[in-house]
Amino acid sequence: MKKLLALLAMIAFAGAAQAAPAPKPSNGQRDSNAPINISSDSFQADLNAKTGTYNGNVVVVQGDTKLRANQVRVLTVNGKADKITATGNVVVDSPASGTATGDNGVYSIGPRMVVMTGNVVLKKGKDVMKGSQLTVNLNTGQAIVGGAAKAPGAQGHGGGRVQGVFIPDSN
């Protein structure tokens, strides 16, 4: 479970550089002060809404952590990033932590909360965890994976279930 928490923490890479400075890692942790490189098919700034939106084949890289999505929107408050929203085929990948995928991801920088929704899958080696929503409090290190609510009167299995498969001795 500790390695899955490390995977969850890397989801918040883009906004972490805007938060309080962190010391340089010396034990294999991610460097939140490393430069953040973003590429996309287009970029649109809205000065009135104080947002910047990267559209189409968005790739965000910080160190060895990479986020891919159809769109990434950054909301600023007082000139600093406040909320980062990734939508459409969101994939966060790190060689050290594994891969997280979902339909959408939101990082609220002030409270340091990450929420991924829609077909969330966490993979590390052969270990896999699935649910419909993932919420991570980066201050406390606590993570909650939730299943989809089952429709009233729905029959059968699935729906509101969280699934996990953990292989002993896997990385």
Side-chain angles (χ1 to χ4, degrees):
M1 188 51 114
K2 189 170 185 176
K3 59 187 169 181
L4 282 176
L5 282 176
L7 171 65
L8 305 176
M10 67 137 184
I11 295 167
F13 68 93
Q18 297 291 331
K24 297 282 185 197
S26 59
N27 58 357
Q29 295 178 356
R30 186 181 56 78
D31 181 1
S32 62
N33 290 322
I36 299 169
N37 297 301
I38 304 174
S39 63
S40 66
D41 293 339
S42 66
F43 174 78
Q44 180 179 0
D46 184 337
L47 299 177
N48 294 323
K50 298 182 180 181
T51 61
T53 305
Y54 297 86
N55 286 299
N57 302 306
V58 182
V59 178
V60 183
V61 179
Q62 184 180 36
D64 64 356
T65 302
K66 182 186 289 188
L67 175 139
R68 295 185 311 272
N70 295 346
Q71 180 182 79
V72 173
R73 174 172 285 153
V74 180
L75 171 67
T76 62
V77 173
N78 298 323
K80 293 185 178 182
D82 182 61
K83 185 178 284 189
I84 298 170
T85 304
T87 57
N89 302 308
V90 178
V91 178
V92 180
D93 189 32
S94 169
S97 302
T99 303
T101 61
D103 296 334
N104 303 292
V106 177
Y107 175 44
S108 298
I109 295 170
R112 295 182 36 98
M113 294 292 291
V114 176
V115 177
M116 284 189 80
T117 58
N119 301 309
V120 175
V121 179
L122 306 171
K123 293 181 182 179
K124 174 68 175 166
K126 294 180 181 180
D127 297 339
V128 178
M129 187 131 188
K130 296 180 181 181
S132 64
Q133 180 170 318
L134 163 68
T135 303
V136 183
N137 181 326
L138 297 174
N139 290 321
T140 65
Q142 293 182 330
I144 299 170
V145 177
K150 192 179 274 191
Q155 300 293 318
H157 300 287
R161 306 292 289 174
V162 173
Q163 300 174 4
V165 176
F166 303 98
I167 309 299
D169 298 321
S170 74
N171 294 325

